[in-house]
C-alpha cells in the first residue's frame, strides 16, 4: 500500500517515517539519495554480509538494517513502558501512555534530533516498524471485534437506543453546520464535501473498542455506567459500519465519479456476502469440531489469524478502508468460549505487548508539534480545532441530557457524557486514513492526535472522581446476622468458582441448620472469568423472566453446551434446592466478569436482595500441604479481599479442610447400606467459638447460636479477656457483655453448649491457650476477623500473620503449624455507611482516591 504524506506542500511518496539526516554520510556501505527532496534524503543500508560482523573487527552494527530494527523495538517498548510507569499514579489509561511514548521517539521530542534519526531510526528500518504497527492496529481491532456480542444490540433497552441515536445525530448536525460555516477558510483538500463528511462522522461517533479498552483499564467494565456506555457505543458502532461504506463511496465519487461508486458497492456486497455465507459457517464448523471444555485446535487459530491478513488485503484491494476487513471478520467470530476465548488466550499478550507499541511508534513519528505554526493555522488547523470543540460540547450535552430525560441519575448521566467523548486506537487509525486520503496533512494529524490525548487524559481521572463503582454498596441499614430475627427468612449470597469449593460450602450450610421457621434464602452465584467477551454478563437462571432477559437465557443454554464445569456447578445448585426444598429457597446465577471485577456482581446482588451475609470459600495463593482448597487459582484471592473491603452486609469466609464433608458423606453411606438405620448412633460434631470481642466476634457468636439448634452439634464458646482489663474499649466491652449475657441466658439449659473464659496478657498467651484447646479435636473453629478486638490480646501476632483475608486468629488456626484438621469459619460484620443520603454529586473530594501510589498496578 503506497502512502502519500503531504508535508509543507511537498508531495512525497514514501512508505514510512520522515526525518532530517546529515548531508555528508561517511559511513561505509551507505548510499544517500536525494531524489525526493533536498531536505529529505533516503539513506539505504546494506543487509548482513555472509560473514558475521563483530565490533572487535571494526564493524558498526548500526550499519545493518536488522540490527537497527532490534534497537528500535527495544527503544519503542521501553519508552512506552516508562511513560506508563510515570503516569500510573494519575490513573491514566494505557492508550495515553502509549501515544505519549510514541510521540517521545517522534519528531516532537527525540526524533527532532538529526543524530537520533540517523543512527536509530533510518527509513529502511522504519519501513518495517511502520508495517508492524499497522498489523498491530488490525489485530487489535480484530480481537476486540471478536469479543463483541453483536446479537445484544437487538436486546438493548429502548433508552440505550435513543441515547445512542441522539448522541450521534445532534453532533453530526452541529459539527456539519460548523464545518460548512468554516468552509471558506479551509484549504483545498479540507473543504471537499467528502473530507468534511469524513471528519464530521469521525467526531460524532464513539468507538466501542475505545470505550472497552479505557473502561477495562479503569476497572469500570462491570459497573452500571460502564455497561451502559458500552451498550450505547456498540449501538453507534453498528451504524458506523454503514457510515464507513458511505464515506468511502463519497471519496470514490470525488475521484472516479458514479462509475467508480457502482463498482465499489458491488465489491463491498460480494465481500460481505462471502463473509456471511462462507466464513461464518467455517467458524461454526470449527466450534463443532472442538470437544467441550477444551481450547480450539492451534491449526485453526493460525488459519483465523492468517485470515485477518487476507481480509486486510481484500478490503484494501476493493478500495474499502483497510481496517474494515479485520473488524468485519472479528464480528463474525462467535463471542465467548471456545473460539473467541482461545483467540484471546493464544494471541492477546503478543498483540497488546509487542505489536501495539509499534502502532504507537508509527503514530508518534507522524505527530510533530513543530508543525503547528501561525502560517498554516487559519486554513488547516483552526477549522479542525473548532470542529473538535463543537463535537465535544454537543456530544457531551446531547448524551447527558438524553440520559437525564430517561431518568438516569445525574452523576451517571454526566459520567456517561464524558465517556462518550473518549478517544483511542480506532480514532487514531481513522486519522491515519485521513492522511492516505489527503484529507489532512501532518499538521492536521498532529492536532487530532493531541486532541485524543488531552481529552482522554483529562476525562479519565474526572470520570474516576465522579463515578466510584463501589459507592452504592455501603448501606446505612443493618444487614447482619445479628439483626436478623430468628424466626424469619435469612438471605445470603453464596459465591463459588468451581464444584470442589461448592461441596464444602453446602456442607457448612447444612450445619447452619435452616428450618421451616427459620429458612434460608440462598442466592448462589457461579463466578466465571470473562474470556472471549468484551461485555460482562450476569445470567439469572430462573425461568419466567421478562422479555429483555430472554437473551440471557440463550446465553445460559450456550454455557451448558460449551463448558461441562459450568453445568456441573449449576446441577449441584439445583440438586441442593431439591433436597432442602422445605427450608431453603435457592436462586442460581452465573456472573461472567474479569476476576478483579467479580466482587461488584457479588456486592450488587447482596445489596439489591438485602441479604444478611455473603458466604465465600477461602482462597489460598500458595501451596503448603495437601488440603484440596489450597489448589485454587491465585487470581480468585482478590475476589475475597475486594468483597471484604466493599461489602454491603456481613461476610463469612469458610476454609474447608474436608473433615466435616467427609464425615457427612461417611454417615450418609452408612445409613444407605443399613437395613436398620436406627441402630447407628448419630455422629456428634464439635464446634468452638473463639470470642475475642468486637463487632466481628459478636456476629460470629450470633451465627454459632443458630448452629447450636442443630442436635448433632456441640458448641463451646471461649471468651478471651485481657489481664487487669488492659487495652479494653469501654463501649466495645459493654456491647460484648450484652451479647455474651444474651447467649448464655438463652442456652443455659442446653447441655450441648458450654461457655468458658480465659484471661491472657498478650498475643503469645492467646495462641498458647488456643493451642491447648486443640486436644479437643474440634471439627470447626469459628471466630471474628478483626474489628473491635482488644489489641492487647493480639499483641505481637500481627507480624506473624501472613493472610489478612482470615484475620490474625483465623490465619493462626488455619495454618499448617497449628496442626488442626478442623475447618475454619471467619466472620466479618457489616461496616455501615454513616454519611447518610446522597446529594447531587455526593462524596467529598479525596486526593488519595484520585492519585494512587506508584505501587498500584492495573492488570490488563
Amino acid at each position: 500500500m503506497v502512502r502519500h504524506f503531504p508535508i509543507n506542500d511537498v508531495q512525497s511518496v514514501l512508505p514510512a517515517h520522515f526525518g532530517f539526516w546529515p548531508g555528508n554520510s561517511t559511513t561505509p556501505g551507505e548510499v544517500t539519495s536525494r531524489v525526493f527532496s533536498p531536505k529529505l534524503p533516503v539513506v539505504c543500508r546494506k543487509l548482513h554480509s555472509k560473514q558475521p560482523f563483530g565490533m572487535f573487527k571494526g564493524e558498526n552494527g548500526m550499519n545493518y538494517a536488522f540490527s537497527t530494527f532490534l534497537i528500535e523495538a527495544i527503544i519503542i517498548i521501553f519508552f512506552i513502558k516508562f511513560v506508563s510507569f510515570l503516569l500510573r499514579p494519575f490513573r491514566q489509561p494505557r492508550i495515553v501512555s502509549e501515544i505519549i511514548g510514541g510521540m517521545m521517539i517522534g519528531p516532537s521530542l527525540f526524533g527532532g534530533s538529526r543524530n537520533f534519526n540517523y543512527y536509530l531510526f533510518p527509513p529502511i528500518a522504519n519501513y518495517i516498524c511502520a508495517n508492524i504497527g499497522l498489523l498491530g492496529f488490525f489485530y487489535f481491532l480484530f480481537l476486540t471485534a471478536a469479543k463483541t456480542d453483536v446479537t445484544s444490540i437487538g436486546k438493548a433497552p429502548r433508552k440505550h437506543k435513543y441515547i445512542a441515536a441522539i448522541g450521534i445525530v445532534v453532533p453530526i448536525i452541529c459539527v456539519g453546520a460548523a464545518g460548512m460555516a468554516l468552509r471558506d477558510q479551509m484549504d483545498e483538500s479540507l473543504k471537499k464535501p467528502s473530507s468534511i463528511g469524513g471528519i464530521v462522522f469521525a467526531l460524532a461517533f464513539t468507538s466501542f473498542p475505545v470505550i472497552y479498552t479505557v473502561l477495562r483499564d479503569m476497572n469500570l467494565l462491570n459497573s452500571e455506567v460502564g455497561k451502559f456506555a458500552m451498550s450505547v457505543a456498540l449501538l453507534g458502532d453498528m451504524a458506523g459500519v454503514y457510515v464507513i461504506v458511505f464515506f468511502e463511496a463519497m471519496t470514490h465519487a470525488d475521484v472516479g465519479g458514479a462509475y467508480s461508486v457502482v463498482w465499489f458497492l458491488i465489491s463491498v456486497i460480494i465481500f460481505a456476502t462471502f463473509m456471511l455465507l462462507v466464513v461464518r459457517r467455517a467458524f461454526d464448523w470449527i466450534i463443532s469440531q472442538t470437544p467441550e471444555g477444551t481450547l480450539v485446535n492451534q491449526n485453526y487459530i493460525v488459519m483465523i489469524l492468517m485470515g485477518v491478513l487476507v481480509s486486510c488485503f481484500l478490503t484494501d484491494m476493493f478500495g474499502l478502508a483497510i481496517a474494515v476487513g479485520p473488524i468485519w471478520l472479528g464480528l463474525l467470530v462467535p463471542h465467548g468460549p471456545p473460539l473467541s476465548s482461545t483467540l484471546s488466550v493464544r494471541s492477546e499478550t503478543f498483540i497488546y505487548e509487542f505489536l501495539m507499541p509499534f502502532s504507537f511508534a508509527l503514530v508518534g513519528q507522524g505527530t510533530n508539534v513543530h508543525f503547528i505554526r501561525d502560517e498554516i493555522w487559519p486554513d488547516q488547523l483552526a477549522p479542525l480545532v473548532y470542529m473538535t470543540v463543537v463535537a465535544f460540547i454537543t456530544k457531551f450535552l446531547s448524551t447527558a441530557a438524553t440520559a437525564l430525560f430517561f431518568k438516569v441519575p445525574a452523576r451517571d448521566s454526566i459520567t456517561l457524557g464524558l465517556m462518550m467523548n473518549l478517544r483511542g486506537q480506532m480514532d487514531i487509525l481513522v486519522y491515519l486514513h485521513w492522511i492516505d486520503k489527503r484529507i489532512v496533512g501532518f499538521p492536521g494529524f498532529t492536532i487530532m492526535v493531541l486532541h485524543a490525548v488531552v481529552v482522554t487524559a483529562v476525562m479519565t481521572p474526572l470520570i474516576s472522581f465522579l463515578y466510584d463503582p463501589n459507592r452504592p454498596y455501603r448501606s446505612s441499614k443493618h444487614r447482619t446476622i445479628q439483626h436478623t430475627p430468628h424466626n424469619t427468612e435469612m438471605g445470603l449470597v453464596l459465591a463459588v468458582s468451581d464444584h470442589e469449593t461448592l461441596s464444602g460450602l453446602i456442607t457448612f450450610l447444612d450445619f447452619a441448620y435452616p428450618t421451616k421457621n427459620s429458612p434460608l434464602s440462598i442466592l448462589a452465584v457461579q463466578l466465571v472469568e470473562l474470556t472471549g467477551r468484551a461485555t460482562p454478563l450476569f445470567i439469572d437462571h430462573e425461568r419466567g423472566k421478562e422479555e429483555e432477559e430472554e437473551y440471557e437465557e440463550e446465553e445460559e443454554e450456550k454455557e451448558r453446551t460449551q463448558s461441562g464445569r459450568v453445568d456441573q456447578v449449576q446441577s449441584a445448585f439445583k440438586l441442593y434446592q431439591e433436597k432442602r426444598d422445605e427450608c431453603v429457597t435457592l436462586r442460581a446465577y452465573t456472573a461472567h466478569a474479569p476476576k478483579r471485577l467479580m466482587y461488584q456482581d457479588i456486592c450488587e446482588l447482596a445489596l439489591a436482595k438485602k441479604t444478611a451475609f455473603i458466604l465465600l470459600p477461602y482462597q489460598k495463593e500458595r501451596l503448603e500441604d495437601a488440603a484440596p482448597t489450597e489448589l485454587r487459582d491465585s487470581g480468585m484471592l482478590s475476589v475475597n479481599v475486594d468483597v471484604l473491603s466493599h461489602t454491603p452486609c456481613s461476610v463469612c469466609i469458610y476454609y474447608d479442610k474436608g473433615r466435616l464433608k467427609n464425615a457427612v458423606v461417611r454417615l450418609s453411606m452408612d445409613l444407605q447400606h443399613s437395613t436398620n438405620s436406627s441402630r447407628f448412633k448419630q455422629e456428634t460434631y464439635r464446634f468452638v467459638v473463639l470470642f475475642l470481642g468486637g463487632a466481628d466476634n459478636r456476629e460470629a457468636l450470633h451465627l454459632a447460636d443458630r448452629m447450636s439448634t442443630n442436635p448433632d452439634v456441640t458448641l463451646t464458646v471461649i471468651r478471651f479477656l485481657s489481664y487487669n482489663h488492659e487495652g479494653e474499649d469501654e463501649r466495645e466491652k459493654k456491647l460484648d457483655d450484652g451479647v455474651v449475657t444474651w447467649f448464655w441466658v438463652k442456652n443455659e439449659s442446653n447441655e450441648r453448649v458450654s461457655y468458658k473464659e480465659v484471661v491472657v496478657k498478650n498475643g503469645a498467651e492467646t495462641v498458647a491457650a488456643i493451642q491447648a484447646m486443640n486436644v479437643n479435636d474440634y471439627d470447626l473453629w469459628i471466630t471474628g476477623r478483626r474489628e473491635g478486638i482488644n489489641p492487647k490480646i493480639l499483641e505481637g501476632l500481627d507480624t506473624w500473620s501472613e493472610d489478612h483475608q482470615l484475620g490474625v486468629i483465623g490465619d493462626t488456626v488455619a495454618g499448617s503449624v497449628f496442626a488442626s484438621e478442623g475447618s475454619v469459619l471467619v466472620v466479618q460484620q457489616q461496616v455501615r455507611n454513616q454519611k447518610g443520603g446522597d446529594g447531587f454529586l455526593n462524596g467529598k473530594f479525596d486526593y488519595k482516591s484520585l492519585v494512587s501510589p506508584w505501587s498500584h498496578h492495573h492488570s490488563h
Side-chain angles (χ1 to χ4, degrees):
M1 178 173 63
V2 177
R3 295 189 169 278
H4 300 271
F5 292 99
I7 304 182
N8 300 336
D9 297 325
V10 177
Q11 297 293 336
S12 305
V13 182
L14 284 177
H17 167 76
F18 288 99
F20 298 94
W21 290 273
N24 51 346
S25 174
T26 58
T27 308
E30 295 183 356
V31 179
T32 302
S33 172
R34 298 177 177 274
V35 176
F36 300 97
S37 165
K39 288 186 178 181
L40 300 173
V42 174
V43 181
C44 300
R45 303 199 174 201
K46 67 182 180 182
L47 300 174
H48 278 297
S49 58
K50 292 183 180 179
Q51 297 299 323
F53 66 82
M55 61 180 292
F56 300 107
K57 296 180 181 180
E59 298 217 32
N60 184 358
M62 301 307 295
N63 290 336
Y64 297 85
F66 185 70
S67 301
T68 308
F69 166 72
L70 294 178
I71 291 294
E72 286 187 7
I74 294 169
I75 291 173
I76 289 167
I77 296 173
F78 169 78
F79 272 114
I80 288 177
K81 292 298 180 185
F82 178 69
V83 174
S84 177
F85 171 76
L86 292 179
L87 295 182
R88 189 179 298 162
F90 304 102
R91 298 276 183 93
Q92 290 300 318
R94 183 171 178 164
I95 178 71
V96 173
S97 305
E98 289 173 326
I99 295 176
I100 295 176
M103 289 176 64
M104 289 179 71
I105 62 172
S108 298
L109 195 60
F110 294 112
S113 165
R114 295 188 178 189
N115 290 327
F116 183 84
N117 281 326
Y118 179 72
Y119 290 109
L120 298 178
F121 284 85
I124 190 168
N126 286 347
Y127 178 81
I128 302 173
C129 287
N131 284 283
I132 291 177
L134 287 173
L135 282 180
F137 274 127
F138 299 150
Y139 277 111
F140 165 80
L141 294 173
F142 166 73
L143 269 187
T144 308
K147 297 177 182 179
T148 304
D149 181 15
V150 183
T151 59
S152 65
I153 294 173
K155 307 292 182 181
R158 190 171 57 179
K159 68 177 179 180
H160 289 199
K161 297 176 182 177
Y162 281 123
I163 293 172
I166 295 173
I168 291 171
V169 172
V170 172
I172 285 177
I173 295 172
C174 295
V175 178
M180 296 307 295
L182 296 168
R183 192 177 180 191
D184 293 338
Q185 302 176 23
M186 299 177 182
D187 64 3
E188 291 302 320
S189 61
L190 197 58
K191 67 168 54 174
K192 291 186 294 185
S194 60
S195 299
I196 295 176
I199 293 171
V200 167
F201 285 120
L203 293 175
F205 282 90
T206 302
S207 175
F208 178 82
V210 174
I211 295 290
Y212 164 68
T213 51
V214 175
L215 294 184
R216 180 194 62 196
D217 294 343
M218 294 175 67
N219 287 339
L220 290 177
L221 277 182
N222 213 26
S223 64
E224 185 178 352
V225 74
K227 294 176 182 177
F228 203 153
M230 286 194 292
S231 176
V232 172
L234 183 58
L235 288 165
D237 260 14
M238 291 304 103
V241 170
Y242 300 101
V243 170
I244 289 175
V245 175
F246 176 71
F247 167 69
E248 293 295 336
M250 288 176 64
T251 57
H252 277 73
D254 288 343
V255 177
Y259 181 79
S260 178
V261 172
V262 170
W263 281 108
F264 165 75
L265 293 176
I266 291 174
S267 301
V268 170
I269 293 170
I270 292 173
F271 179 71
T273 304
F274 173 78
M275 297 283 279
L276 289 170
L277 297 182
V278 178
V279 176
R280 174 67 195 206
R281 292 182 180 180
F283 288 154
D284 292 336
W285 180 83
I286 290 173
I287 292 175
S288 68
Q289 298 299 307
T290 305
E292 284 186 16
T294 63
L295 297 177
V296 175
N297 186 287
Q298 184 78 358
N299 293 326
Y300 297 141
I301 298 299
V302 173
M303 293 290 289
I304 293 171
L305 294 176
M306 189 174 68
V308 176
L309 305 179
V310 175
S311 66
C312 290
F313 172 76
L314 291 176
T315 48
D316 198 35
M317 184 178 69
F318 291 153
L320 196 60
I322 192 170
V324 170
I327 294 173
W328 286 10
L329 183 65
L331 291 175
L332 290 177
V333 175
H335 72 289
L339 187 52
S340 181
S341 57
T342 306
L343 283 168
S344 297
V345 169
R346 298 291 192 208
S347 59
E348 200 168 59
T349 300
F350 179 76
I351 292 169
Y352 287 166
E353 303 297 338
F354 185 78
L355 293 184
M356 287 302 290
F358 287 97
S359 305
F360 291 100
L362 171 64
V363 173
Q365 290 177 354
T367 306
N368 190 347
V369 295
H370 304 296
F371 283 153
I372 304 175
R373 299 191 300 269
D374 291 340
E375 55 266 28
I376 61 172
W377 175 263
D379 60 339
Q380 292 188 38
L381 303 183
L384 281 176
V385 172
Y386 296 146
M387 291 169 76
T388 54
V389 170
V390 171
F392 178 88
I393 294 173
T394 55
K395 192 162 188 67
F396 171 75
L397 292 178
S398 59
T399 303
T402 311
L404 281 170
F405 177 79
F406 284 102
K407 295 185 172 49
V408 177
R411 180 188 288 266
D412 292 0
S413 299
I414 293 172
T415 306
L416 184 64
L418 295 177
M419 285 180 174
M420 289 296 103
N421 276 293
L422 293 171
R423 299 290 157 184
Q425 296 89 338
M426 188 71 184
D427 304 286
I428 288 172
L429 191 59
V430 170
Y431 305 153
L432 284 171
H433 189 57
W434 288 355
I435 295 178
D436 285 343
K437 298 296 182 181
R438 302 191 183 186
I439 294 174
V440 297
F442 278 116
F445 176 77
T446 300
I447 284 288
M448 298 308 296
V449 171
L450 291 176
H451 164 253
V453 173
V454 171
V455 166
T456 305
V458 173
M459 291 302 104
T460 304
L462 193 56
I463 290 169
S464 296
F465 170 64
L466 284 173
Y467 186 81
D468 178 9
N470 304 318
R471 174 176 53 85
Y473 300 148
R474 288 292 172 90
S475 172
S476 59
K477 297 181 180 179
H478 288 291
R479 303 278 173 82
T480 67
I481 302 169
Q482 179 179 352
H483 295 92
T484 302
H486 263 261
N487 293 326
T488 59
E489 183 180 69
M490 184 167 66
L492 68 105
V493 173
L494 183 152
V496 293
S497 58
D498 52 51
H499 185 262
E500 289 79 8
T501 53
L502 175 61
S503 58
L505 295 181
I506 286 179
T507 302
F508 164 74
L509 289 175
D510 283 337
F511 285 108
Y513 206 60
T515 62
K516 288 183 179 180
N517 294 328
S518 183
L520 288 179
S521 174
I522 301 174
L523 307 170
V525 184
Q526 184 185 358
L527 306 174
V528 181
E529 186 177 9
L530 187 72
T531 55
R533 283 188 176 93
T535 310
L537 188 64
F538 191 78
I539 303 171
D540 184 348
H541 292 273
E542 184 168 317
R543 298 299 178 186
K545 298 186 292 297
E546 298 176 7
E547 287 185 5
E548 352 181 285
E549 296 176 334
E550 287 179 2
Y551 163 66
E552 294 181 353
E553 292 184 6
E554 295 171 11
E555 291 297 325
E556 177 187 346
E557 294 300 324
K558 288 182 182 179
E559 290 301 330
R560 288 176 175 164
T561 59
Q562 290 173 351
S563 174
R565 190 176 63 133
V566 174
D567 184 61
Q568 193 176 22
V569 172
Q570 296 301 328
S571 297
F573 287 160
K574 187 176 180 182
L575 184 63
Y576 179 74
Q577 164 71 78
E578 291 173 354
K579 285 187 175 182
R580 304 288 185 273
D581 190 46
E582 293 184 353
C583 53
V584 172
T585 304
L586 188 144
R587 184 160 182 166
Y589 302 87
T590 301
H592 294 264
K595 285 180 180 176
R596 65 183 184 277
L597 302 181
M598 286 177 176
Y599 77 95
Q600 293 180 350
D601 283 322
I602 298 170
C603 293
E604 194 172 325
L605 186 63
L607 182 69
K609 301 298 184 180
K610 301 178 180 179
T611 60
F613 71 100
I614 297 169
L615 179 60
L616 301 171
Y618 174 63
Q619 304 289 353
K620 200 165 184 65
E621 191 171 19
R622 60 195 181 282
L623 302 178
E624 283 187 353
D625 53 49
T629 49
E630 294 187 357
L631 302 175
R632 299 292 123 241
D633 184 353
S634 60
M636 296 301 295
L637 179 63
S638 64
V639 177
N640 286 13
V641 174
D642 289 332
V643 170
L644 288 167
S645 301
H646 305 294
T647 176
C649 59
S650 297
V651 178
C652 296
I653 295 182
Y654 181 64
Y655 183 8
D656 176 32
K657 292 191 175 182
R659 181 166 176 171
L660 286 175
K661 181 170 56 181
N662 294 338
V664 171
V665 171
R666 186 171 63 251
L667 178 64
S668 175
M669 292 178 65
D670 289 342
L671 293 176
Q672 285 179 1
H673 291 87
S674 168
T675 55
N676 183 14
S677 59
S678 60
R679 56 197 182 113
F680 280 86
K681 185 179 183 302
Q682 183 73 36
E683 188 169 350
T684 302
Y685 305 97
R686 293 173 292 279
F687 293 0
V688 60
V689 177
L690 303 176
F691 188 91
L692 284 81
D696 293 350
N697 281 277
R698 293 192 293 270
E699 186 79 348
L701 187 59
H702 275 84
L703 180 58
D705 176 63
R706 288 178 176 266
M707 294 180 176
S708 67
T709 58
N710 189 332
D712 303 327
V713 170
T714 62
L715 181 66
T716 303
V717 177
I718 301 173
R719 186 181 185 185
F720 290 81
L721 298 169
S722 64
Y723 182 72
N724 284 338
H725 306 288
E726 289 184 39
E728 288 182 352
D729 180 279
E730 188 175 343
R731 179 178 177 276
E732 291 290 341
K733 178 72 163 52
K734 287 182 178 179
L735 292 172
D736 292 343
D737 289 343
V739 171
V740 169
T741 303
W742 162 83
F743 175 80
W744 180 240
V745 169
K746 181 184 176 191
N747 293 283
E748 189 175 9
S749 59
N750 190 341
E751 296 179 354
R752 292 178 290 101
V753 178
S754 59
Y755 172 78
K756 299 176 184 179
E757 290 186 352
V758 176
V759 178
V760 295
K761 293 181 179 179
N762 51 42
E765 291 191 5
T766 303
V767 172
I770 296 173
Q771 186 74 53
M773 300 170 201
N774 203 17
V775 297
N776 295 321
D777 200 21
Y778 289 112
D779 298 295
L780 179 64
W781 301 78
I782 306 171
T783 186
R785 183 166 174 255
R786 65 180 184 188
E787 188 64 33
I789 298 177
N790 185 345
K792 197 68 180 175
I793 297 176
L794 302 178
E795 188 178 48
L797 295 182
D798 285 339
T799 54
W800 297 97
S801 177
E802 298 179 357
D803 196 337
H804 300 292
Q805 185 183 171
L806 296 177
V808 176
I809 298 300
D811 187 32
T812 302
V813 177
S816 56
V817 177
F818 191 68
S820 170
E821 295 181 4
S823 300
V824 180
L825 179 69
V826 175
V827 183
Q828 174 183 288
Q829 192 175 56
Q830 172 203 18
V831 179
R832 288 195 299 147
N833 182 14
Q834 303 294 340
K835 291 182 180 179
D838 291 349
F840 171 67
L841 291 176
N842 74 325
K844 297 178 181 178
F845 177 75
D846 181 9
Y847 73 94
K848 291 181 181 178
S849 66
L850 188 63
V851 182
S852 60
W854 266 281
S855 59
H856 181 69
H857 178 66
H858 293 294
S859 60
H860 299 290

